[in-house]
Every structure is written in C-alpha cells, then in structure tokens.
Amino acid sequence: MPFFKRSLAGPGYVVLNAIRVMNVIALLSVVAASFVMLIKTFVVSKFFFFDGVSHLVTGCVSILLILTEISLFKRYTANNWPLLSPSHGFVTLGIIMIIIGVSILGNLNKQATSEGSLGTTFWRLVIASGIVVSILGVANIFASYMFRQKALGITARQVRDHGAVAPQKVYVSPSPSRSNGRRSLHLGRSDTLPSYYTKHHSTYEQEPIRNISAPIVGNPQLDKSKRNSSAPPVVNGVQRPDLAFHPAMQGQAF
C-alpha cells in the first residue's frame, strides 16, 4: 500500500491541479448564478430580503473558496480557516461545495428563480453550476483520501503543491497522534512533570540507616597534663616520646 501511494504522488500532482482548475471555474459559475438569482429575487419575490441574503452568502462563500484554491492569503487562511489550509485535505472543501450545489438546485423550485423568470440562458447557468459544483465536491472528497500519504503526514493539498517530492518539501511536525493528544488533556501531575529521582538515588534511600556514635570525649588525664605540665602526656599507661629528641628537631640528616 505505501508503494501504491508513492506511485500516485506524481500523477496526483497533475490530477489534483486539474481538479483545482475545475473547482475555480465551477465556483465562478456559482458566483454568477448567485448574483443572477439575487437580482431576480429583488424583482419578482415579495419576501426578497431573506432569499437575497441566502444568495449573497452563497456567493461570498464561493469567493472565499476561490481564494483558497488559488493559494492567496495562505497565512490568513492557516490561522483563521485551518481546514482549508495545506495542512488539511479537501474534505471540508468538498462538503461545502456539495452544500452549495444542493442549495442552488433547491432554488429552482421557487417562482423567482424558475425557468420562466430567469430565462432559458440564466436558468441553464444556475442548474449547470449546481450540478457541476456538487459533482466536484464528491470528487474532491475522493481525491483527498486517494492521494494523501497518511503514514508520512502528507495531505492531498501538499501533494497538489509539491507532487512526488512533497515528503522532502513539507516539514511535518513531530506532534503526537490525535488519540495521544486527547489523552494529554487528562494527564495527572505525576505524568506531566519529569522525575528527578534516579535509580541510584532510590537504591540509596532504601539502604538501612547506620548508627553513628556520639562525639568522643577527651581524656581527662591528657587534658590535665596539657594544662599543668609540659611533659609528654601519658595515654592508656603509655608515655608519648618527647618531640624535643626527634631527629628533625636536632637537624640530623636521614
């Protein structure tokens, strides 16, 4: 399966860019059809305000999709409309296009946008734009899953921009998976903070506590001899030699 994905990366560059051109043309026809129905609604319908707003919103959304397809304002799109940015595929685009197509085709049942009100030419423009944009919406969803490289984190939009060299051109941040991302919201303090206790420290803490003796008290006889006499002290019945007779004090060489 990975080999199949890599083999489609090159042709996917051509196919996805061809679909991009068709997307722009279909969305331009939607914009034209929306403004034609907007004008006819003001002329024919008595409740033109709400119908007019719906046609205006459809036209504005189509213009927004056109800007994302021709890669204008990439940073703004990535910050405010991330589902339409290169880091995501064409699923959102395809769903919006399907909704727009169904909405346009649904307007043909109204008197203000009927064939008799619009005329044969404009009526064909409306019905053609609705059908084409719906079909292209399905095609975008299918292409998004077909040409992406999920194992490498490469989306279909990135394949459309870079082709077979997308893995070398696109930097994929080493972010955790969605499941790990959801799990990180429920981590406790012990899971989030690093541990500063090493194996050596834990072994040291488990060692038994050693008994330390009290400070050794000085010999009273020694202290007394130091205070009262300059003679060498006697410790435990043994008198220490006098340092005055040491060879180092006599200047003799060894």
Side-chain angles (χ1 to χ4, degrees):
M1 191 64 181
F3 175 77
F4 178 72
K5 291 289 186 180
R6 286 195 295 269
S7 64
L8 288 180
Y13 176 80
V14 178
V15 174
L16 292 175
N17 278 281
I19 295 177
R20 171 192 276 182
V21 175
M22 290 188 288
N23 288 339
V24 173
I25 295 174
L27 292 171
L28 286 174
S29 66
V30 169
V31 173
S34 298
F35 283 104
V36 167
M37 291 188 292
L38 176 63
I39 295 173
K40 289 295 182 179
T41 299
F42 278 103
V43 174
V44 177
S45 178
K46 295 180 181 180
F47 301 96
F48 58 85
F49 177 76
F50 297 102
D51 283 343
V53 170
S54 64
H55 297 318
L56 181 63
V57 170
T58 302
C60 293
V61 171
S62 300
I63 293 175
L64 175 64
L65 295 180
I66 291 173
L67 295 178
T68 59
E69 282 297 283
I70 59 179
S71 299
L72 287 179
F73 310 110
K74 284 186 176 181
R75 181 173 297 179
Y76 176 82
T77 303
N79 294 332
N80 298 278
W81 307 91
L83 293 178
L84 300 175
S85 64
S87 60
H88 293 78
F90 303 108
V91 176
T92 304
L93 174 65
I95 293 175
I96 296 175
M97 292 177 70
I98 292 174
I99 295 174
I100 289 175
V102 173
S103 175
I104 290 178
L105 295 175
N107 289 320
L108 296 177
N109 294 325
K110 300 177 181 179
Q111 180 183 0
T113 54
S114 61
E115 183 179 3
S117 178
L118 293 176
T120 305
T121 303
F122 292 114
W123 182 81
R124 289 177 178 175
L125 172 64
V126 173
I127 192 173
S129 63
I131 293 174
V132 172
V133 79
S134 299
I135 295 174
L136 285 176
V138 176
N140 278 280
I141 295 175
F142 177 76
S144 181
Y145 288 105
M146 182 177 181
F147 295 106
R148 69 176 181 174
Q149 300 182 23
K150 185 177 180 180
L152 301 177
I154 305 299
T155 64
R157 285 183 185 269
Q158 294 167 345
V159 173
R160 186 179 68 178
D161 293 337
H162 305 288
V165 297
Q168 289 78 29
K169 294 288 186 178
V170 178
Y171 171 74
V172 180
S173 61
S175 60
S177 60
R178 293 181 180 179
S179 59
N180 293 336
R182 289 194 295 267
R183 181 179 178 272
S184 63
L185 298 177
H186 305 285
L187 291 177
R189 182 178 180 87
S190 60
D191 294 330
T192 56
L193 295 179
S195 176
Y196 296 99
Y197 294 98
T198 61
K199 184 177 180 181
H200 176 71
H201 292 163
S202 61
T203 305
Y204 176 77
E205 292 177 354
Q206 294 176 358
E207 292 181 357
I209 300 176
R210 299 177 180 179
N211 295 325
I212 302 176
S213 61
I216 300 174
V217 182
N219 193 327
Q221 184 179 0
L222 177 61
D223 297 337
K224 184 178 180 180
S225 62
K226 285 184 177 180
R227 291 193 303 266
N228 300 329
S229 176
S230 60
V234 177
V235 180
N236 296 329
V238 179
Q239 185 177 4
R240 189 177 65 181
D242 191 357
L243 296 178
F245 298 100
H246 195 277
M249 300 297 180
Q250 302 296 328
Q252 298 177 4
F254 295 98

